[in-house]
Amino acid sequence: MINHTLKRRLESVVLPYVQMPAQYVGGERNIVVKNHADVKGKLALGFPDAYTIGMSHHGLQVLYSMINRRDDWCAERVFTPWPDMEAKLREHDLPLYTLETFTPLNEFDVIGLSLQYEISSPNVLTMIDLGGIPLEAEDRTMADPLLLAGGPCCQNPEPMADYFDVMVTGDGEPALPVICDAWLKLRNEARLPDGSFTPGEAGRREREEALAKIAAEFEFAYVPRFYTPEYVDGRVSGNPRNRDDVPETIAPSVISDLDGIPLPTAPIVPYVKCVHDRIAIEIMRGCPHLCRFCQSTVIKRPLRIREVDTIVDAAMESYRNTGYNEISVLSLSSSDYPHFEPLIRRLHEVFRPLGVNITVPSLRVNDQLRSLPELIGSERRRSLTLAPEVARDDMREQIRKKIKNSDLIEGCRAAFQNGFESVKLYFMCGLPGERQVDLDGIVDLAESIARVGKEVNGRNARVTASVSNFVPKAHTPYQWNGMQSREYFQWAHKYLYSRRQIRSVNIKCHDIETSLLEGVLSRGDRRTGKAIRLAWERGARMDGWFEHLDPERWWTAIEDTGLDVQNLLHDKYDLMDKLPWDHVNVKFGRTYLEKEQTRATVQLADMAAAI
């Protein structure tokens, strides 16, 4: 059921005048187009970023295929349009639409958005507004779609709480279908005899009661309107519920049997080049390690795996349905998959004769790394990517990433011996207790690896040390710590650049303003949502792309909203303080995080005394 009227209008007055129009027309290989008259419910799966980013996101493909396997629901895709496309849609008063059927967003029952990156928050408002839906959740009636959010940014849901009806943490596969079904039932019960819905204040109250039923039924469904933040001295002192029939705290949604969840074996093949043009197969969810800085390892607990046969069979079916010549195995730490070596050998055995490359991101730095290059190498793979995070053993003990430089260096030696030509290393700057010697170690380690390349191949290897600015994220042991200041990061970056001596070593530091904004948006409370809206109203669009980001616009909006950045971002919390996200639970919970933070504090004191 394609909306040919809207499609023809787009083809005549919009698409000829925008860049890369192929990203707005749908029709790709393996899309699912259903007649809306033949289904009971309609879901728009949205990704608040450009098509080329959203189509590279494995989670979108998983949920799309899962819902479309059902006969009674359809799932269609929508992405944030680039500013030129947005301007044309507004110029001709045309709505944002899904790619499968050119249906406006406000005609769907549910809109599910995956919140992956805090800086992209204004894109959410662009999509809601262009979709013809009231921006604020409290202004909607049952005539409007349910606005549902998932993804890592929901670990602190408060900055975007005003704009969503329901927010979910944890795994999307169990939560999405049951919420969709429950909402569809409530929506159908609310229809008037002529099929319309109650308008005005009565309609808004009706929607509120329907959402209360969702919140009461599902422990993982956070409905922000039922929780009212309280403040003392400019900080959140609590987030109590404002009605008794909803839970006090929210639990994560969790899959118990990952192997029983079907993989998407007919992923959509875009017409345009995307960030990742390959088959992605998730082999494991969760991580066996408990690094104190890492939010992902907390929110993806417990550790769950897929069987080797499941993975290989899904990879072959995906290959037959797409023709891609590269398969990437995905997890937080792929080489920690318990059957890693037999899996990779089996994949090579099956796919090398077909000319298909196997890539393995997220490698663990341990003694296994010494044998991995021979296992994962290929004619097309010439660069090894590793994440040591820090460069000194005592700091690694502090962050609980138990790796050794000797394993890292010997693993790189094995990589150079197996034809690898370059190494990319990921480090962090600004961790709690960081010292000048920790910065020295980043450059020293990168240059040591470059020299190993010379020992093997006669010339210094190309080594890139990519240094990110540490943001203490919600639900990690470091959540009580403040973020380092702008001045500190400016000094640290300059110092790192000054220490480099080998030309083949490249030091790349992340943009400081972007990191500070990420800190504000990830650690903020509900008042932060007002700053997001103000920045959006003043033109913030596609700010996840560096060339579009205007930091001054953000800092002005934050100041005009009355937010205290020092208090919000840089000042630490005491261990017993309430945090803006405390009402959202994770596995193990706050007790575990407090214990880890206490241990970290003791270790930091010992490190400082040892200098």
Side-chain angles (χ1 to χ4, degrees):
M1 189 193 88
I2 294 176
N3 185 335
H4 290 288
T5 301
L6 177 56
K7 183 179 180 183
R8 284 192 292 268
R9 183 80 171 139
L10 291 163
E11 289 171 345
S12 63
V13 300
V14 174
L15 297 178
Y17 306 102
V18 299
Q19 291 185 333
M20 203 193 299
Q23 64 187 312
Y24 303 119
V25 299
E28 308 98 318
R29 180 178 178 85
N30 295 332
I31 67 167
V32 179
V33 180
K34 296 183 179 182
N35 188 333
H36 289 182
D38 296 334
V39 298
K40 295 179 180 178
K42 303 185 294 294
L43 166 68
L45 280 173
F47 196 91
D49 209 319
Y51 174 94
T52 53
I53 299 292
M55 284 305 300
S56 301
H57 185 247
H58 180 64
L60 180 76
Q61 302 266 15
V62 169
L63 298 177
Y64 181 86
S65 64
M66 180 186 73
I67 296 296
N68 278 322
R69 278 193 293 270
R70 296 180 50 166
D71 295 331
D72 56 343
W73 275 85
C74 69
E76 303 183 8
R77 296 160 300 140
V78 62
F79 304 96
T80 307
W82 284 98
D84 62 339
M85 179 65 169
E86 179 188 350
K88 281 295 178 183
L89 290 175
R90 294 191 187 280
E91 177 186 342
H92 297 284
D93 196 25
L94 297 174
L96 186 60
Y97 56 89
T98 56
L99 298 182
E100 278 70 14
T101 61
F102 291 83
T103 300
L105 289 193
N106 60 9
E107 295 182 18
F108 283 82
D109 298 293
V110 179
I111 298 171
L113 299 184
S114 180
L115 308 185
Q116 296 289 320
Y117 185 33
E118 294 86 357
I119 303 295
S120 298
S121 296
N123 294 349
V124 171
L125 305 189
T126 299
M127 296 175 76
I128 296 173
D129 188 51
L130 281 177
I133 303 160
L135 279 180
E136 303 272 346
E138 293 190 351
D139 293 334
R140 300 170 195 147
T141 70
M142 293 300 287
D144 297 304
L146 181 78
L147 266 290
L148 174 66
C153 294
C154 289
Q155 291 305 125
N156 176 15
E158 292 308 295
M160 293 299 290
D162 288 338
Y163 310 111
F164 284 98
D165 300 304
V166 181
M167 306 179 83
V168 173
T169 60
D171 300 318
E173 294 97 330
L176 180 61
V178 296
I179 290 178
C180 284
D181 286 339
W183 180 253
L184 185 64
K185 180 177 182 291
L186 291 165
R187 203 169 188 228
N188 287 335
E189 290 173 352
R191 289 186 187 274
L192 300 174
D194 64 355
S196 65
F197 297 95
T198 303
E201 182 59 32
R204 290 189 284 273
R205 287 197 303 270
E206 185 179 46
R207 186 181 180 95
E208 181 168 310
E209 292 307 311
L211 288 170
K213 292 178 181 178
I214 296 285
E217 183 174 358
F218 304 112
E219 62 179 2
F220 47 73
Y222 175 53
V223 181
R225 68 173 69 197
F226 299 137
Y227 302 81
T228 304
E230 297 174 345
Y231 303 93
V232 173
D233 297 329
R235 279 186 163 177
V236 168
S237 59
N239 223 320
R241 56 186 174 172
N242 52 40
R243 54 188 295 164
D244 294 336
D245 55 347
V246 300
E248 289 187 72
T249 59
I250 311 301
S253 168
V254 179
I255 294 172
S256 57
D257 178 17
L258 183 66
D259 199 52
I261 300 293
L263 282 158
T265 53
I268 299 168
V269 182
Y271 286 138
V272 301
K273 183 174 176 57
C274 292
V275 174
H276 298 307
D277 282 323
R278 62 195 183 198
I279 296 165
I281 303 289
E282 184 188 32
I283 63 173
M284 180 172 72
R285 191 170 299 182
C287 181
H289 307 284
L290 301 173
C291 300
R292 287 176 177 144
F293 63 86
C294 182
Q295 187 184 62
S296 293
T297 191
V298 175
I299 65 180
K300 293 186 181 295
R301 292 175 186 149
L303 182 69
R304 293 143 293 172
I305 69 168
R306 285 193 167 98
E307 298 300 327
V308 171
D309 286 344
T310 302
I311 296 163
V312 176
D313 291 347
M316 177 54 73
E317 190 174 349
S318 298
Y319 168 70
R320 289 170 177 159
N321 287 327
T322 63
Y324 277 124
N325 64 359
E326 184 171 318
I327 296 171
S328 177
V329 295
L330 298 182
S331 80
L332 291 176
S333 182
S334 296
S335 53
D336 284 311
Y337 174 69
H339 315 301
F340 180 75
E341 185 168 336
L343 170 65
I344 299 303
R345 293 195 185 281
R346 178 95 174 274
L347 288 171
H348 280 311
E349 177 185 314
V350 171
F351 288 102
R352 266 185 177 156
L354 300 173
V356 177
N357 191 34
I358 307 299
T359 63
V360 187
S362 307
L363 294 175
R364 180 75 175 170
V365 179
N366 55 21
D367 56 356
Q368 183 190 39
L369 183 60
R370 303 179 188 217
S371 61
L372 277 180
E374 180 180 0
L375 183 64
I376 66 176
S378 73
E379 292 181 0
R380 275 178 275 160
R381 188 172 175 86
R382 288 289 178 262
S383 180
L384 187 66
T385 300
L386 301 166
E389 311 297 356
V390 296
R392 286 176 55 89
D393 290 341
D394 56 355
M395 182 58 86
R396 290 201 187 106
E397 187 70 25
Q398 156 64 204
I399 69 174
R400 283 200 63 171
K401 187 152 191 172
K402 298 178 181 179
I403 64 176
K404 298 178 181 178
N405 281 352
S406 57
D407 292 327
L408 176 65
I409 291 171
E410 291 308 308
C412 291
R413 185 187 304 278
F416 298 140
Q417 290 169 344
N418 281 275
F420 286 76
E421 298 173 350
S422 63
V423 175
K424 186 171 186 178
L425 304 171
Y426 285 102
F427 294 100
M428 288 182 293
C429 167
L431 282 159
E434 183 172 83
R435 305 150 300 177
Q436 187 168 319
V437 291
D438 295 305
L439 300 178
D440 292 337
I442 291 174
V443 181
D444 293 344
L445 182 57
E447 294 190 340
S448 294
I449 292 171
R451 293 188 189 99
V452 168
K454 186 173 184 179
E455 293 171 11
V456 174
N457 296 316
R459 63 184 182 279
N460 287 326
R462 296 194 309 275
V463 180
T464 299
S466 180
V467 183
S468 64
N469 306 307
F470 176 66
V471 179
K473 289 293 182 79
H475 301 298
T476 68
Y478 287 155
Q479 65 181 352
W480 289 273
N481 293 88
M483 187 175 177
Q484 286 283 11
S485 68
R486 177 182 287 104
E487 292 73 22
Y488 176 83
F489 287 122
Q490 289 171 342
W491 168 81
H493 291 187
K494 185 177 180 181
Y495 182 75
L496 286 168
Y497 294 138
S498 72
R499 289 272 288 113
R500 184 185 71 121
Q501 295 182 331
I502 297 177
R503 292 181 60 184
S504 67
V505 171
N506 186 21
I507 308 293
K508 294 179 65 175
C509 297
H510 288 205
D511 179 65
I512 296 171
E513 298 304 314
T514 302
S515 298
L516 292 171
L517 285 171
E518 180 184 340
V520 170
L521 298 178
S522 66
R523 295 177 58 79
D525 52 51
R526 198 167 300 189
R527 297 169 297 182
T528 311
K530 308 301 182 197
I532 292 170
R533 179 164 182 173
L534 192 56
W536 173 75
E537 290 173 344
R538 293 174 177 177
R541 298 292 190 278
M542 290 292 190
D543 284 358
W545 298 72
F546 182 74
E547 62 270 27
H548 287 265
L549 177 65
D550 180 355
E552 189 56 37
R553 175 164 49 210
W554 273 100
W555 295 124
T556 301
I558 288 168
E559 182 179 357
D560 291 348
T561 312
L563 295 178
D564 183 343
V565 174
Q566 180 65 37
N567 185 297
L568 181 74
L569 181 62
H570 299 300
D571 293 343
K572 72 179 183 67
Y573 285 92
D574 291 330
L575 200 59
M576 292 298 105
D577 286 346
K578 291 291 185 180
L579 303 171
W581 48 85
D582 270 345
H583 53 301
V584 177
N585 294 323
V586 294
K587 191 171 178 64
F588 297 167
R590 181 169 166 141
T591 301
Y592 165 78
L593 299 176
E594 288 176 354
K595 181 176 67 175
E596 281 300 303
Q597 167 66 354
T598 300
R599 288 175 174 172
T601 302
V602 172
Q603 289 173 346
L604 284 174
D606 291 343
M607 286 168 56
I611 295 286

